[in-house]
């Protein structure tokens, strides 16, 4: 190996004057090179922030993997590891790629991992693979197999196993549960270290007993015989009832190889579940068995999925496990279907993947959220789903966040090497404040700016707006306008939205008709225009708003929709467009829906603005579908509720005519003039003059929706 040895510098910056010093430095550098030279096989660890470490993994401890990288041993925390590559075992990289796909790649990943385990592996790699297998099996609710991997990991490397935690477990098969309990008891009798004993004891205590299985007593503190408590009456009765109704058929189908028998029994079990009420013990037995039998053949997939849906609705504490199993079934449906059935299965799978991505992001697991989003994108492209642009926008947003975190990590390393470099700390400040919109973290690096005003603004921005003075809100509005100029395309809308929010609070508090208010109002309008322009050029560019009204610049939107009797024949068009509009909102935007007639308004169950997450959209769609048209036309109560929510924009739709008193009502409700009120006349122009005046006075847009505008809308079928 050829290498060039550089002559080191003394602390004063001069070359070493002594040949002895030069030789010593050269020998040190040569020693490093010699250590690295034998590494014909290289290991690579890639982390969640996009950084890769190449060298030789030298061990594993309670925190993660230890790698000799660039002459220094680093510890890479287990939860930061996205992918491990080992030149000597290429199948590891294949397995890691499949592992990164989540549930959809679990089966293939396990096959590759099992093949690698058959080889003579370093102890660190064997322990790491057992941990991966544990997580895979846990993700697909294969709890007994997950326990096997955990126990093997405990034997292979107790130190590493001590840091592994179990997620909630719900195993309702009596035989599998008994087998798990026996293994746990055996492991506890061997006296494992405290952290592992604690995990096993916790698992044993929270393991949900299947119907008919004795309740789980506390784990023994010493190897005394385990004496189970007698079964509960309800569980025993449920087991007897199940056996009397389905025991004979179950025994017969187990003796045959025809999957149609399994599917037929699964369908009958599903019907039983629908009429069984909410008896948890019996319902769990019926639905679990329906899912198990339905999954034995593609003809039973729909039955299996519906069984889990019923169980999740009727027994909420089992909902998470049911959702995981529904996802497995939906994956199988999509893989085995063809033609129109495959397209429908793909659309359902996309919705499930988006819900799981949303959940993982809310739980603080952006890497897993990205995995689900990429899977959703692949399926959406394959079946031509209308959610493609939304998925792409979510991917770009999360990818930007991960890239920013990687940049911050690199800058922090640079600041540790050169703590006197103020430019590096300044970069960290702006990355946190602008790109991540995290002023609380940015404050920690504010001293590097040498600007007390900038530091003060960051400190104020980290506090709730209601605790700030008028002057502070105005200052923060100006500050975020300044930051928007420094922001990249991904962060610019967020900075403008922050500026608009602080200007709005200031205008609501400062009601005096003076120069500061006039200046703030002009700035508020400028920010709104800039925000709308930024969002129009962003991922949702080209997507129309509500019947063509531009809503991209609004962060908080309330839709007020006429449901009076005159809307009976046309309300389905409005519902369709309302759901389409909500579907393309970004997750940073918030929305609310109010239907009105002559009675009390009909509102979203949340009773407050909600972020446009997949889960909240789905709840809104279900709410919208259930609304019926009846009564007279009176929007007053709906308008009062809408303004009370503190929105940025209101969309008011009617096919009728308002009393002119509604104009005065909106003036009183929007005294600060910070809420834009858009109005829509639907199919009839009888109320156009009032609607147009409301929009003009409240910085909104009036639009008449004609029959021609509905021509491109696919009218949804009535429920």
């Amino acid at each position: 190996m050829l290498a060039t040895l550089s002559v080191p510098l003394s602390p004063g910056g001069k070359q070493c004057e002594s040949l002895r010093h030069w030789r010593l430095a050269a020998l040190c550098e040569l020693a490093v090179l010699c250590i690295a030279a034998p590494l014909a096989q290289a290991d690579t660890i890639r982390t969640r922030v996009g950084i890769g470490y190449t060298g030789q993994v030298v061990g594993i401890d309670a925190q993660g993997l230890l790698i000799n990288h660039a002459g220094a041993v680093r510890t890479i925390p287990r939860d930061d590891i996205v992918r491990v590559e080992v030149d000597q075992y290429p199948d590891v990289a294949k397995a890691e790629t499949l592992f990164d796909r989540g549930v959809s790649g679990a089966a293939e990943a396990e096959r590759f991992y099992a093949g690698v385990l058959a080889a003579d592996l370093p102890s660190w790699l064997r322990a790491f693979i057992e941990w991966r297998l544990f997580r895979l099996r846990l993700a697909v609710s294969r709890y007994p197999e997950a326990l096997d991997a955990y126990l093997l990991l405990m034997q292979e490397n107790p130190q590493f196993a001590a840091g592994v935690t179990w997620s909630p477990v719900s195993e309702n098969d009596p035989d599998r549960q008994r087998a798990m309990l026996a293994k746990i008891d055996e492991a506890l009798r061997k006296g494992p270290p405290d952290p592992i004993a604690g995990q096993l004891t916790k698992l044993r205590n929270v393991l949900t007993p299947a119907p008919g299985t004795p309740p789980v007593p506390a784990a023994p503190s010493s190897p005394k015989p385990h004496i189970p408590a007698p079964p509960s009456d309800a569980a025993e009765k449920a087991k007897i009832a199940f056996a009397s109704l389905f025991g004979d058929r179950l025994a017969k189908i187990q003796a045959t190889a025809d999957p149609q028998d399994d599917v037929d029994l699964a369908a009958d079990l599903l019907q039983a579940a629908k009429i069984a009420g909410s008896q948890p013990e019996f319902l769990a037995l019926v639905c679990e068995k329906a899912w198990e039998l339905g999954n034995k053949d593609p003809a039973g997939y729909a039955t299996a999925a519906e069984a889990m849906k019923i169980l999740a609705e009727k027994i909420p504490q089992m909902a998470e496990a049911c959702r995981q199993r529904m996802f497995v079934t939906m994956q199988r449906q999509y893989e085995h279907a063809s033609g129109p059935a495959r397209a429908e299965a793909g659309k359902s799978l996309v919705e499930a993947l988006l819900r799981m991505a949303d959940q993982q992001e809310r739980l603080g697991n952006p890497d897993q959220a990205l995995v689900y989003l990429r899977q959703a994108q692949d399926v959406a492209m394959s079946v031509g789903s209308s959610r493609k642009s939304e998925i792409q926008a979510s991917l770009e947003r999360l990818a930007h966040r991960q890239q920013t975190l990687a940049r911050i990590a690199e800058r922090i390393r640079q600041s540790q090497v050169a703590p006197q470099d103020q430019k590096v700390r300044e970069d960290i400040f702006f990355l946190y404040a602008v790109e991540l919109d995290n002023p609380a973290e940015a404050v920690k690096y504010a001293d590097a700016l040498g600007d007390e005003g900038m530091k003060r603004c960051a400190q104020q921005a980290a506090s709730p707006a209601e605790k700030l003075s008028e002057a502070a809100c105005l200052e923060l509005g100006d500050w975020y306008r300044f930051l928007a100029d420094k922001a990249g395309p991904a962060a610019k809308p967020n900075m403008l939205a922050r500026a608009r929010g602080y200007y709005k609070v200031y205008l609501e508090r400062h009601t005096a008709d003076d120069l500061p208010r006039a200046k703030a109002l002009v700035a508020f309008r400028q920010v709104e225009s800039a925000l709308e322009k930024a969002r129009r050029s962003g991922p949702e560019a080209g997507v129309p708003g509500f019947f063509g009204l531009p809503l991209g610049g609004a962060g908080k939107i309330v839709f007020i929709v006429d449901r009076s009797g005159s809307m009976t024949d046309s309300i389905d068009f409005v519902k369709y467009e309302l759901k389409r509009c909500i579907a393309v909102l970004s997750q940073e935007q918030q929305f609310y829906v109010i239907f009105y007639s002559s009675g009390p308004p009909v509102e979203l169950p949340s009773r407050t603005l909600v972020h446009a997450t997949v889960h909240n959209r789905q709840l809104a769609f279900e709410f919208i579908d259930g609304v019926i048209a009846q009564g007279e036309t009176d929007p007053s109560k709906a308008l009062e509720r809408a303004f009370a929510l503190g929105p940025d924009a209101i969309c008011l739709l009617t096919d009728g005519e308002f009393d002119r008193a509604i104009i005065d009502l909106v003036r009183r409700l929007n005294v600060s003039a910070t809420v834009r009120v858009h109005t829509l006349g639907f199919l009839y122009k009888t109320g156009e003059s009032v609607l147009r005046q409301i929009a003009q006075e409240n910085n909104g847009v009036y639009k008449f929706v004609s029959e021609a505008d509905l021509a491109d809308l696919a009218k949804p079928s009535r429920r």
Side-chain angles (χ1 to χ4, degrees), residues 59-73:
I60 190 169
D61 63 14
Q63 283 72 45
L65 296 180
L66 283 69
I67 186 168
N68 186 342
H69 172 75
V73 175

Side-chain angles (χ1 to χ4, degrees), residues 345-619:
K347 290 176 182 178
S348 297
L349 181 58
V350 166
E351 295 301 320
L353 285 163
L354 290 177
R355 283 195 296 272
M356 294 173 74
D358 179 54
Q359 180 188 42
Q360 290 300 315
E361 186 175 359
R362 284 187 282 111
L363 290 173
N365 301 322
D367 286 323
Q368 189 58 50
L370 280 170
V371 170
Y372 288 136
L373 284 171
R374 291 189 189 107
Q375 293 175 33
Q377 186 181 48
D378 291 343
V379 178
M381 294 292 289
S382 176
V383 302
S385 169
S386 60
R387 309 295 291 274
K388 289 183 290 187
S389 60
E390 175 197 345
I391 296 169
Q392 181 60 36
S394 296
L395 279 168
E396 290 176 2
R397 177 177 53 79
L398 272 179
H400 169 73
R401 176 177 174 79
Q402 297 300 82
Q403 290 165 4
T404 303
L405 287 171
R407 290 169 64 191
I408 289 174
E410 180 59 30
R411 296 294 191 279
I412 289 175
R413 276 193 292 275
Q414 291 174 1
S415 70
Q416 291 169 346
V417 174
Q420 74 283 358
D421 191 338
Q422 297 299 307
K423 180 63 170 64
V424 171
R425 296 178 66 83
E426 182 179 329
D427 287 347
I428 297 172
F429 174 87
F430 283 110
L431 285 170
Y432 271 125
V434 179
E435 301 301 320
L436 291 186
D437 190 16
N438 189 342
E441 283 297 316
V443 167
K444 299 175 184 178
Y445 300 89
D447 289 336
L449 303 175
D451 186 330
E452 286 302 315
M454 191 75 73
K455 182 178 180 179
R456 181 178 63 255
C457 285
Q459 291 170 334
Q460 292 172 342
S463 301
E466 58 268 20
K467 294 184 178 180
L468 300 176
S469 65
E470 280 183 16
C473 290
L474 182 58
E475 183 179 29
L476 285 174
D478 293 338
W479 187 60
Y480 274 109
R481 283 186 75 189
F482 163 75
L483 293 182
D485 292 336
K486 298 178 70 68
K492 190 179 188 71
N494 219 25
M495 295 296 97
L496 290 169
R498 285 277 234 162
R500 180 189 58 193
Y502 285 113
Y503 282 136
K504 181 179 178 181
V505 173
Y506 173 79
L507 290 168
E508 289 171 347
R509 294 183 188 175
H510 190 89
T511 57
D513 188 9
D514 55 14
L515 182 59
R517 176 179 173 80
K519 180 183 176 184
L521 188 56
V522 171
F524 177 79
R525 298 297 184 213
Q526 290 175 340
V527 166
E528 279 203 320
S529 298
L531 182 56
E532 190 167 315
K533 181 179 178 181
R535 281 185 169 152
R536 281 181 175 179
S537 63
E540 63 265 24
V543 178
F546 188 43
F547 285 111
L549 285 177
L551 299 176
K556 300 177 181 179
I557 309 165
V558 177
F559 300 93
I560 307 178
V561 179
D562 189 345
R563 72 173 190 101
S564 61
S566 60
M567 292 286 294
T568 300
D569 294 330
S570 56
I571 197 168
D572 280 351
F573 285 105
V574 179
K575 288 181 177 181
Y576 178 89
E577 175 65 4
L578 182 58
K579 291 193 290 184
R580 188 209 58 75
C581 182
I582 291 171
V584 298
L585 295 176
S586 69
Q587 290 197 24
E588 288 77 17
Q589 290 177 286
Q590 299 179 56
F591 72 94
Y592 193 71
V593 181
I594 305 174
F595 285 88
Y596 68 91
S597 60
S598 51
V602 177
E603 307 178 36
L604 272 180
S606 65
R607 305 292 296 177
T608 188
L609 287 158
V610 294
H611 284 279
T613 63
V614 176
H615 176 69
N616 288 336
R617 290 175 194 163
Q618 188 60 41
L619 292 178

